[in-house]
Amino acid sequence: MTARLFPPGVPIAKRIFDLLLSVVGVVLISPFILLLTILVRIIHGAPVIFQQVRPGYKGKPFAMYKYRSMTDARDADGHLLPDEARLTPFGKFLRSTSLDELPELYNVLRGEMSLVGPRPLLMQYLERYTPEQARRHEVLPGMTGWAQINGRNNVSWEDKFALDVWYVDHWSLWLDIKILLLTPLKVFKREGISEPGNATAREFMGTEGGEGAGE
């Protein structure tokens, strides 16, 4: 899975914007990133970075990086405990502030993600989308997006995907700037972090009655 400085299909202005802000951001907050890395290592153990394959542009898989927010706690039979049981208070803090997503800046620099775009979800969701929902992969996935500032995990999957597709159809550099400016406010308010009874959001099983819905 090779990355490109200028991925095909990505507007040049958007890519340059991503690169400039990412490089400047990493330089400015590098001491904080180092401190956060040390804390994650002490509290959650190794590895510090959680890596998972996610679908990117056109559904192409890539390895997405995040700070670990859970331990490897297991039951008496050696099976991992549910997410809610393994999510530590520090992990909840990382998620509620979106600090766990800082390593995704590396994905942005590699051209696998953008600062703004639909959030990269799970690979198994690809076959569960309707054709309209699958259009969310017509742009690079993002660290934040239109759906994230309009409800995050507190809206239904269908509404979230509709917001993603709206972004695809209405993208502009000014829209990206607007989303980036509103994101810190949403993070500060800690709105829509998770659904009741879930560490983040319930699994998407497909839209009932729609083409591409899962079994």
Side-chain angles (χ1 to χ4, degrees):
M1 291 181 283
T2 57
R4 298 187 182 185
L5 184 61
F6 291 95
V10 180
I12 296 297
K14 181 177 179 66
R15 181 59 180 151
I16 292 175
F17 179 76
D18 283 344
L19 286 172
L20 287 176
L21 262 65
S22 297
V23 170
V24 172
V26 168
V27 171
L28 290 177
I29 67 173
S30 55
F32 178 71
I33 290 176
L34 177 60
L35 174 62
L36 203 59
T37 301
I38 293 172
L39 289 174
V40 172
R41 176 64 177 84
I42 293 173
I43 297 171
H44 295 151
V48 170
I49 301 297
F50 169 74
Q51 178 179 331
Q52 189 176 52
V53 176
R54 299 286 180 96
Y57 178 65
K58 298 297 184 181
K60 181 181 178 181
F62 73 98
M64 188 185 77
Y65 303 97
K66 300 178 74 170
Y67 278 123
R68 284 184 62 189
S69 57
M70 299 182 186
T71 66
D72 289 327
R74 299 173 183 269
D75 60 21
D77 297 321
H79 302 299
L80 284 173
L81 295 175
D83 288 357
E84 294 82 1
R86 295 187 294 120
L87 185 62
T88 67
F90 182 60
K92 291 179 181 178
F93 169 76
L94 291 177
R95 288 190 177 191
S96 67
T97 56
S98 295
L99 291 174
D100 63 321
E101 297 172 8
L102 281 179
E104 292 169 22
L105 286 169
Y106 178 64
N107 293 119
V108 175
L109 293 173
R110 284 173 55 87
E112 298 159 331
M113 291 181 64
S114 173
L115 291 174
V116 180
R119 285 294 299 163
L121 301 174
L122 302 177
M123 292 299 298
Q124 60 262 36
Y125 289 3
L126 288 176
E127 61 184 20
R128 302 174 187 174
Y129 295 134
T130 66
E132 179 69 7
Q133 291 169 347
R135 294 188 57 229
R136 67 192 305 276
H137 293 292
E138 292 178 5
V139 296
L140 283 177
M143 293 183 66
T144 185
W146 188 240
Q148 280 59 55
I149 65 167
N150 284 284
R152 199 171 175 180
N153 289 321
N154 204 29
V155 296
S156 70
W157 280 115
E158 288 73 21
D159 288 344
K160 193 180 301 184
F161 296 149
L163 290 167
D164 288 339
V165 173
W166 185 93
Y167 171 81
V168 171
D169 290 336
H170 295 84
W171 174 82
S172 71
L173 206 54
W174 292 114
L175 179 58
D176 277 7
I177 292 172
K178 175 182 178 179
I179 292 171
L180 286 173
L181 291 175
L182 288 174
T183 295
L185 177 62
K186 295 295 181 178
V187 170
F188 179 75
K189 289 184 176 180
R190 302 191 183 186
E191 296 175 339
I193 298 167
S194 61
E195 289 183 338
N198 293 280
T200 50
R202 61 184 172 84
E203 182 177 356
F204 173 63
M205 300 306 297
T207 298
E208 186 177 353
E211 287 185 58
E215 294 294 330

